[in-house]
Amino acid sequence: MHRVELAERPHWRDHAKEVGFSFADMHGEPYWDETSVYAFSLDQIENDIEDPATALHGMCREAVDHILSSEELLEKLAIPEAHRDLIANSWKQGDPEIYGRFDLAYDGQGPAKLLEYNADTPTSLYESAAFQWQWLEDQLEAGNLPEGADQFNGIHEALVARFADVFETDSDLHFTAVAGNPEDYGTVEAMGWAAREAGLGAHYCDLDKIALSDDGQFLDDEDRRIAVLFKLYPWEDLLRDDYADHIEGSGCLFLEPAWKALLSNKGLLPVLWEMFEDHPNLLPAFFEQDVGEAMAGRGSVTGRAADAFDRARAGLARAHVRKPILSREGASVEIVKSGQIIESASNTEYAEHPRILQAYAPLPQFDGMRPVVGAWIIGQTCAGICLREDRSRITQDLSRFKPHYIAPYSG
């Protein structure tokens, strides 16, 4: 894995406008940035990212069963008691999953380390699946990449196959997001595009225009019944909305399913560590409510986390990350080294939520930039990656998207 300076395509901004990639720049700053890119070997992609990400997803599915069997864990994950049956039923019924994205710390050498799982509403889908691939084709044609260079990117094709596998041809699906957010709309459109290629009907409706019929069904802005709804709106918010009381009786299948609320919660990380301690792709992680007093030297750990905490304590004392169980784009995250905060997110929107402590795995540095690898899971398999980089240790909403390629084998 290395970072490569590369000439931009001369007309990429025109192409971005043509295809509706309107958030290539955000808030006056570049978001898509192809002035440098990341190169990987095929071995790094297959053995260090693709296979581990697929395995991690399988472990997460095991964690769903484990969490649902424990009222204590549901409480720690702040799952509203009124909707725990909704989540449990969606799992028991086998409500289908479509996609998710692991964020991994990876330096090209050691095992990739799981930082978090965006299992419910990951964005950056369009640029990962389509614009990144177009970049590869253009740069190959221009002779700016080695002949035979490839990309780990079967995301769109996997989405098409997933929709075709889950739904019968000509099924009608609805897609929704909060109005006025180009990035969210880009992700929803990328999903709708895949559904249409799979032979399905795909209808978009702004989230605030969805209504409830007298008999409890969800309706779109043309009063059509919504039977299947892909919503780019997180379950942690949805479960606290008034509409949540109507979900179970609506007969509407939600994508992602309600059980994903357990995996998109950073409380998943201590659960995984409890279940799979010392797994090479995991970092020690604990609920702060269990170990916070012990970390501060004011008490001891009791209960199920005590032995594992003793084994991880020295590493956590050297450096750890405090993360709210519910947060997005690095908001309210703090990095602590030897008892001192060395970096904290400027966005503190989620500061009031309970936190976890996770051992610190620094992102690697290339030319002063720190990339995080996003591994896309479609269905239950890793189908591609994306990278975002920042000078900050914490990847945030304006961190830049960087394309990647797989260097051809040189013998």
Side-chain angles (χ1 to χ4, degrees):
M1 177 186 183
H2 57 283
R3 190 173 188 265
V4 182
E5 300 291 329
L6 199 68
E8 290 183 288
R9 294 168 293 165
H11 305 298
W12 76 261
R13 284 184 172 79
D14 294 333
H15 176 61
K17 289 179 183 174
E18 288 172 12
V19 298
F21 185 18
S22 60
F23 51 99
D25 295 294
M26 288 196 287
H27 311 296
E29 296 287 335
Y31 166 62
W32 173 270
D33 181 358
E34 59 181 63
T35 57
S36 59
V37 305
Y38 285 88
F40 294 84
S41 69
L42 183 60
D43 182 68
Q44 288 171 331
I45 290 291
E46 291 183 340
N47 297 327
D48 292 351
I49 299 175
E50 181 180 6
D51 290 347
T54 297
L56 282 170
H57 183 71
M59 293 156 60
C60 289
R61 289 180 58 87
E62 290 185 50
V64 173
D65 266 332
H66 185 63
I67 295 168
L68 286 174
S69 68
S70 168
E71 287 295 321
E72 178 188 352
L73 287 176
L74 289 166
E75 195 66 32
K76 286 181 174 176
L77 268 60
I79 302 297
E81 190 171 356
H83 301 302
R84 291 176 187 173
D85 285 347
L86 170 72
I87 292 173
N89 289 338
S90 78
W91 177 247
K92 289 175 190 167
Q93 293 161 188
D95 286 358
E97 62 203 294
I98 300 296
Y99 82 142
R101 193 195 71 228
F102 289 109
D103 283 350
L104 306 171
Y106 178 63
D107 62 4
Q109 317 238 344
K113 298 293 187 182
L114 173 61
L115 301 179
E116 63 181 51
Y117 191 14
N118 303 285
D120 182 20
T121 57
T123 54
S124 72
L125 180 65
Y126 169 74
E127 53 271 38
S128 298
F131 208 75
Q132 180 177 222
W133 183 257
Q134 187 62 53
W135 167 85
L136 178 78
E137 291 190 330
D138 290 347
Q139 294 290 36
L140 281 171
E141 185 177 341
N144 291 332
L145 291 177
E147 185 176 350
D150 201 352
Q151 188 175 93
F152 180 34
N153 188 356
I155 301 168
H156 175 73
E157 293 77 8
L159 280 172
V160 174
R162 181 62 179 160
F163 277 118
D165 185 50
V166 171
F167 298 102
E168 293 183 2
T169 303
D170 295 328
S171 298
D172 274 327
L173 277 60
H174 279 76
F175 297 79
T176 191
V178 174
N181 185 320
E183 186 181 9
D184 285 4
Y185 185 74
T187 293
V188 170
E189 264 301 288
M191 295 293 279
W193 172 30
R196 286 188 287 273
E197 280 202 14
L200 310 177
H203 311 288
Y204 177 80
C205 178
D206 286 340
L207 184 68
D208 62 357
K209 294 178 181 171
I210 292 177
L212 193 66
S213 71
D214 291 340
D215 60 352
Q217 296 186 338
F218 291 114
L219 305 175
D220 70 8
D221 50 1
E222 297 181 25
D223 288 335
R224 293 175 295 196
R225 177 193 171 228
I226 299 174
V228 180
L229 179 64
F230 172 86
K231 44 86 203 151
L232 198 71
Y233 186 67
W235 274 107
E236 65 258 28
D237 292 337
L238 183 52
L239 292 177
R240 290 163 174 80
D241 286 352
D242 292 341
Y243 271 96
D245 293 336
H246 303 284
I247 291 174
E248 195 143 38
S250 69
C252 178
L253 176 66
F254 277 69
L255 303 173
E256 295 292 304
W259 58 265
K260 280 290 194 80
L262 306 179
L263 303 187
S264 59
N265 186 309
K266 291 175 185 60
L268 168 72
L269 299 169
V271 173
L272 287 174
W273 187 252
E274 178 188 331
M275 296 175 67
F276 306 102
E277 185 177 343
D278 290 333
H279 188 282
N281 299 115
L282 297 178
L283 294 162
F286 300 89
F287 291 99
E288 189 175 53
Q289 68 185 84
D290 290 341
V291 305
E293 290 296 303
M295 284 294 294
R298 295 190 293 264
S300 59
V301 180
T302 58
R304 59 210 290 172
D307 292 343
F309 177 73
D310 283 343
R311 291 187 285 272
R313 184 172 196 153
L316 289 167
R318 280 193 297 274
H320 64 269
V321 184
R322 296 181 71 228
K323 299 180 176 180
I325 59 171
L326 307 175
S327 81
R328 306 167 70 78
E329 305 284 7
S332 303
V333 168
E334 296 175 346
I335 300 174
V336 180
K337 265 190 164 181
S338 302
Q340 302 296 316
I341 297 174
I342 62 166
E343 191 155 342
S344 59
S346 56
N347 182 345
T348 58
E349 187 178 350
Y350 294 89
E352 78 280 9
H353 291 294
R355 293 174 182 263
I356 63 136
L357 306 185
Q358 184 185 40
Y360 180 41
L363 296 176
Q365 287 196 63
F366 297 87
D367 304 323
M369 305 302 289
R370 295 178 169 91
V372 63
V373 175
W376 288 96
I377 298 294
I378 310 299
Q380 298 185 28
T381 305
C382 185
I385 63 168
C386 61
L387 288 100
R388 295 180 66 195
E389 68 170 21
D390 206 304
R391 292 191 184 281
S392 167
R393 295 175 179 84
I394 301 171
T395 306
Q396 305 179 59
D397 58 344
L398 290 180
S399 300
R400 297 184 179 187
F401 189 104
K402 309 297 287 190
H404 81 278
Y405 69 92
I406 304 171
Y409 181 65
S410 57

